Amino acid sequence: MSTTPFEKTPGWLDWYAGPAKPRFVLPPGSVDAHCHVFGPGAEFPYAPERKYTPCDASKRQLFALRDHLGFARNVVVQATCHGADNRAMVDACLASAGRARGVATVRRSITDAELQQLHTAGVRGVRFNFVKRLVDFTPKDELMEIAARVAELGWHVVIYFEAVDLPELWDFFTALPTTVVVDHMGRPNVTQPVDGPEFSLFLRFMAEHENVWSKVSCPERLSVSGPRALNGEQAAYRDVVPFARTVVERFPDRVLWGTDWPHPNLKDHMPDDGLLVDFIPHIAPTPELQRKLLVDNPMRLYWPEET
Ligand SMILES: O=C(O)c1cc(C(=O)O)oc(=O)c1
């Protein structure tokens, strides 16, 4: 065992070892379209500008989880603890035998040759993060310049923001020239009504802009009332279900799902990933919706050459 040179953020919750075998059988070819690798820190050091220091979560451990849960492929999203150093994510993509694609974080200083290298490794998107506890502010003109460059490669932009910030970010988001994928439904406050003003604005954002997609992921982050996906719970995070199910049913061809393993920054519990998979049929109740969410949509976005 290598020893990590990094000390975890106090109170850090490690990912759940020994997840249940899901009862829900994933459709063949399912994609876990939002997950991360952390380090290992001894091999891929965490970025100096990071806001948290995680436990290690290696590509080998990610691929073991993929196989255990019954996924065929992964989309590895650059985690903020690695800043714009994409080496750990790229290493996972390269080691996956074509079964992982990536989403990178880049700065405007990146060269065209470096972008092309990322593409060759399997990167198909960049992530713009507006969650203040995770990143320092990047000027919008820098992000727009990056978006224009990656549009030429056929990539998309992944955006992560809090629901309260959508009004202020609306004009920027709707000016992006690519497909735009929202992380975790734009983090709705699920104590508000699903037909209340906040979530209605999000639904309008998707309805009025056909290039906007959403990940209906992270019930464990959004839920207030639970119950938690632990100890065999088959009806976890009930307060999130109406939100995610509404998005899946209204926009069946523009939704993605991911485990979010290894679940950075959870504060009160770490879910059993097997039980998180059992959450899927609650939000995508028919085989057709499940196939679109888990296979057709992620394949169209990340492996279009195979569709
Ligand atoms: O809510 C979070 O803390 C979080 C953090 C990161 C990251 O640090 O990249 O990614 C996520 O998808 C969610």
Side-chain angles (χ1 to χ4, degrees):
M1 283 288 279
S2 63
T3 50
T4 175
F6 292 95
E7 196 164 318
K8 292 184 278 190
T9 296
W12 185 264
L13 295 182
D14 292 0
W15 46 275
Y16 189 92
K21 196 85 185 162
R23 287 198 206 165
F24 173 60
V25 178
L26 291 161
S30 288
V31 181
D32 177 352
H34 185 98
C35 50
H36 312 281
V37 286
F38 296 154
E43 196 180 353
F44 302 109
Y46 300 112
E49 73 272 24
R50 70 191 180 280
K51 305 287 186 198
Y52 63 86
T53 307
C55 63
D56 288 337
S58 71
K59 59 178 186 281
R60 186 180 51 75
Q61 290 162 327
L62 174 66
F63 299 155
L65 180 73
R66 174 198 67 197
D67 296 343
H68 173 78
L69 298 177
F71 285 100
R73 306 179 195 228
N74 297 108
V75 177
V76 186
V77 176
Q78 174 74 356
T80 59
C81 57
H82 281 292
D85 175 351
N86 293 290
R87 281 176 297 168
M89 179 273 292
V90 161
D91 175 67
C93 291
L94 291 174
S96 72
R99 295 173 68 186
R101 292 246 144 118
V103 173
T105 296
V106 306
R107 310 270 181 245
R108 67 163 26 128
S109 54
I110 192 165
T111 64
D112 289 342
E114 287 165 335
L115 277 178
Q116 193 54 56
Q117 275 169 10
L118 290 175
H119 189 87
T120 304
V123 172
R124 295 293 180 267
V126 287
R127 191 181 199 202
F128 295 167
N129 204 316
F130 300 89
V131 178
K132 296 171 190 82
R133 69 184 160 81
L134 293 173
V135 286
D136 294 326
F137 175 78
T138 306
K140 296 209 180 77
D141 66 321
E142 172 166 355
L143 296 177
M144 202 49 92
E145 184 182 305
I146 292 167
R149 289 176 66 196
V150 304
E152 289 182 23
L153 294 164
W155 293 10
H156 59 273
V157 173
V158 174
I159 53 178
Y160 192 25
F161 61 92
E162 309 266 2
V164 289
D165 296 324
L166 179 56
E168 175 202 328
L169 292 164
W170 183 283
D171 290 345
F172 174 73
F173 290 162
T174 57
L176 288 167
T178 59
T179 294
V180 173
V181 182
V182 178
D183 274 341
H184 320 324
M185 295 186 284
R187 294 195 60 110
N189 175 350
V190 300
T191 66
Q192 294 189 10
V194 70
D195 57 358
E198 189 190 88
F199 201 59
S200 296
L201 187 73
F202 180 69
L203 294 174
R204 182 154 81 81
F205 178 48
M206 289 196 72
E208 290 180 2
H209 301 94
E210 288 194 351
N211 63 324
V212 177
W213 295 38
S214 179
K215 294 179 195 162
V216 288
S217 43
C218 276
E220 72 286 2
R221 260 179 216 295
L222 302 172
S223 180
V224 175
S225 65
R228 302 162 167 184
L230 286 170
N231 305 315
E233 178 60 62
Q234 283 293 307
Y237 312 124
R238 255 167 276 180
D239 50 351
V240 183
V241 170
F243 292 81
R245 186 166 166 165
T246 298
V247 178
V248 170
E249 289 180 338
R250 281 197 56 183
F251 309 104
D253 298 312
R254 293 190 262 145
V255 284
L256 301 170
W257 193 87
T259 55
D260 193 36
W261 187 89
H263 310 284
N265 300 312
L266 290 184
K267 292 286 180 259
D268 68 1
H269 75 291
M270 182 54 63
D272 175 330
D273 294 280
L275 300 174
L276 272 185
V277 170
D278 289 337
F279 181 75
I280 297 172
H282 295 276
I283 62 168
T286 68
E288 188 189 358
L289 289 172
Q290 292 161 5
R291 200 196 64 241
K292 288 180 176 217
L293 174 67
L294 296 161
V295 186
D296 297 354
N297 299 343
M299 287 301 290
R300 215 162 69 244
L301 199 57
Y302 289 97
W303 284 270
E305 69 282 5
E306 290 187 35
T307 61

